[in-house]
Amino acid sequence: MIRDQETVNILLDTISRFVRERLVPQEAHVAETDQIPQELVDEMKELGLFGLSIPEEYGGMGLTMEEEVLATFEIGKTSPCFRSLFATNNGIGAQGIVIDGTPEQKRHYLPKLASGEIIGAFALTEPDSGSDAASLRTSARRDSDFYVLNGTKRYITNAPEAGIFTVMARTTPDSRGAQGISAFIVERGTPGLALGPIDKKMGQKGAHICDVIFEDCRVPAANLIGGREEVGFKTAMKVLDKGRINIAAVCVGVAERMLDDALRYAMERKQFGKPIAEFQLIQAMLADSKAEIYAARSMVIDAARRRDDGLDVGTEAACAKLFASEMCGRVADRAVQIFGGAGYLAEYGIERFYRDVRLFRIFEGTTQIQQLVIARNMIRAQAD
């Protein structure tokens, strides 16, 4: 749902110009140093990028889902690490509070997230529970006005920079599966919270992950999201539905950037006396990429509109994330092929995108988990 087309167009133009003029020129530098310059972070804050989807009453832009994915298409046309820094504040790092937080939790944390004063992180995955998230072992034991958390979370995006963590922990020790899981807001610096070393990754340099470790970490009971136990897994799934649409959207944006680069190269690079873009086998790769990007973009917009209409989009979000992330990988592979030997060199940047986009098929639910979600929802609907 687009509320005011003119306002949205201004926002999209502003983001597109920022991406083109400020972020794209810094891609190689960030990849080499594994750090986003602070001046760029400050500019992201000034543009309001940390609060795109946070309600206006808390200092954000309050974009609808459709407006947000349109913005994400533009943000995706540069290195994914830039989006990763502020996307958790609009997605998994804040949406638990936006969706299910108490009024007090919203008033206290959302303005800080919207301004970029603090960065949020989502702590669900553990060393022994990734795709099987419901088997998590991190425990939360009530002790007077506190909960005492113990456990380890793994692969937590933005953990090194995070000011707060949305943490899923088991408040009912004997429970199994999704039952007994609650969600907590844990602030950086809380005694008993420690961070592991920053992990070295295949790609997405500039975006950081590490373990988050809880050892008798005392969290105020007031930080139980929603003030209720045993509904944390439901909160997590609602957060992930929205997150999957956003991941699908960034896949579209990155794929569009890679295709633009590949087309430009194909028109400039000559073999046998003419641009390689004139060869039919090159044209086939360009055409297949264009068609798949168009299909993924259409899926993302449809899923976003359905969510704006208040519909359950669990299946559509999974479909969009599955198709768009796989599509993005295929476009990356074709782009490297079109570049040929140059595509294997760091000088051209396409090899960096090739590594960067591989993650999209893994995080916030692997392709195989999306397949299970889709099929199980189909079976459930047929049985009803």
Side-chain angles (χ1 to χ4, degrees):
M1 177 177 63
I2 296 178
R3 298 164 298 177
D4 184 327
Q5 189 66 61
E6 183 178 356
T7 300
V8 170
N9 288 343
I10 293 172
L11 173 64
L12 298 180
D13 287 344
T14 300
I15 292 174
S16 178
R17 185 167 59 253
F18 177 65
V19 167
R20 185 174 59 254
E21 297 178 0
R22 298 294 294 136
L23 300 186
V24 171
Q26 292 293 323
E27 290 172 348
H29 174 74
V30 172
E32 183 176 341
T33 63
D34 197 24
Q35 292 290 335
I36 299 174
Q38 186 59 46
E39 64 185 48
L40 290 182
V41 178
D42 292 340
E43 289 179 46
M44 291 176 190
K45 293 178 181 179
E46 291 174 8
L47 286 174
L49 298 183
F50 284 86
L52 291 174
S53 68
I54 292 176
E56 293 178 85
E57 62 187 295
Y58 301 108
M61 292 189 188
L63 298 187
T64 66
M65 191 75 244
E66 183 176 359
E67 292 167 347
E68 189 177 349
V69 298
L70 292 175
T72 302
F73 291 155
E74 298 303 320
I75 293 163
K77 294 177 182 177
T78 184
S79 172
C81 73
F82 295 118
R83 171 198 165 273
S84 183
L85 183 65
F86 60 79
T88 50
N89 280 30
N90 295 296
I92 58 178
Q95 284 303 306
I97 302 172
V98 171
I99 295 170
D100 287 335
T102 65
E104 293 78 11
Q105 291 166 352
K106 292 178 180 181
R107 284 195 297 268
H108 184 70
Y109 291 108
L110 292 183
K112 297 178 182 179
L113 289 163
S115 68
E117 178 183 343
I118 59 174
I119 291 174
F122 184 71
L124 175 62
T125 301
E126 297 182 359
D128 294 320
S129 64
S131 294
D132 183 16
S135 68
L136 64 85
R137 295 183 180 180
T138 296
S139 64
R141 174 179 54 84
R142 184 70 183 254
D143 181 16
S144 185
D145 292 333
F146 291 85
Y147 283 89
V148 181
L149 273 61
N150 281 283
T152 298
K153 299 294 184 178
R154 180 148 292 174
Y155 311 133
I156 307 305
T157 301
N158 284 345
E161 293 83 17
I164 62 169
F165 300 83
T166 297
V167 181
M168 301 297 154
R170 198 170 293 280
T171 46
T172 306
D174 298 330
S175 64
R176 294 290 182 270
Q179 294 182 350
I181 296 175
S182 303
F184 297 88
I185 304 166
V186 183
E187 297 184 5
R188 186 185 192 91
T190 301
L193 185 156
L195 302 178
I198 295 176
D199 293 307
K200 295 181 179 180
K201 311 187 305 301
M202 175 192 294
Q204 297 208 17
K205 301 293 185 181
H208 304 138
I209 65 172
C210 70
D211 286 0
V212 182
I213 304 154
F214 303 94
E215 293 183 356
D216 292 331
C217 181
R218 294 179 66 81
V219 179
N223 284 24
L224 173 67
I225 292 182
R228 295 173 57 201
E229 293 186 359
E230 301 188 1
V231 294
F233 197 77
K234 292 181 180 178
T235 296
M237 293 304 102
K238 287 184 282 188
V239 167
L240 287 174
D241 278 348
K242 183 177 188 295
R244 287 166 179 168
I245 297 175
N246 260 317
I247 294 300
V250 76
C251 286
V252 171
V254 176
E256 289 179 339
R257 162 68 186 280
M258 292 188 293
L259 181 57
D260 286 346
D261 287 354
L263 176 60
R264 188 178 305 108
Y265 183 83
M267 294 178 70
E268 295 172 353
R269 172 68 167 162
K270 292 184 178 180
Q271 288 290 285
F272 305 101
K274 59 183 178 181
I276 63 173
E278 295 186 20
F279 297 126
Q280 290 182 337
L281 293 179
I282 297 295
Q283 291 175 356
M285 288 190 283
L286 293 171
D288 285 348
S289 297
K290 181 68 173 181
E292 291 192 49
I293 291 170
Y294 175 59
R297 173 182 275 262
S298 298
M299 291 175 70
V300 170
I301 291 174
D302 178 69
R305 288 173 176 170
R306 288 172 181 266
R307 188 178 187 276
D308 283 339
D309 288 339
L311 301 176
D312 181 348
V313 293
T315 298
E316 289 76 13
C319 286
K321 202 271 185 182
L322 182 157
F323 184 82
S325 62
E326 292 287 339
M327 171 278 296
C328 193
R330 290 190 292 269
V331 171
D333 189 69
R334 294 184 194 118
V336 170
Q337 197 71 10
I338 290 169
F339 271 80
Y344 206 68
L345 302 180
E347 175 185 353
Y348 287 86
I350 196 65
E351 65 84 28
R352 183 184 67 246
F353 278 110
Y354 184 82
R355 289 182 287 107
D356 286 348
V357 304
R358 186 60 183 85
L359 181 61
F360 293 142
R361 293 151 62 189
I362 298 173
F363 71 169
E364 295 197 31
T366 64
T367 289
Q368 288 67 40
I369 287 299
Q370 307 311 318
Q371 291 171 322
L372 292 178
V373 169
I374 295 163
R376 288 172 181 172
N377 287 352
M378 291 171 62
I379 293 168
R380 188 179 300 114
Q382 181 66 24
D384 288 344

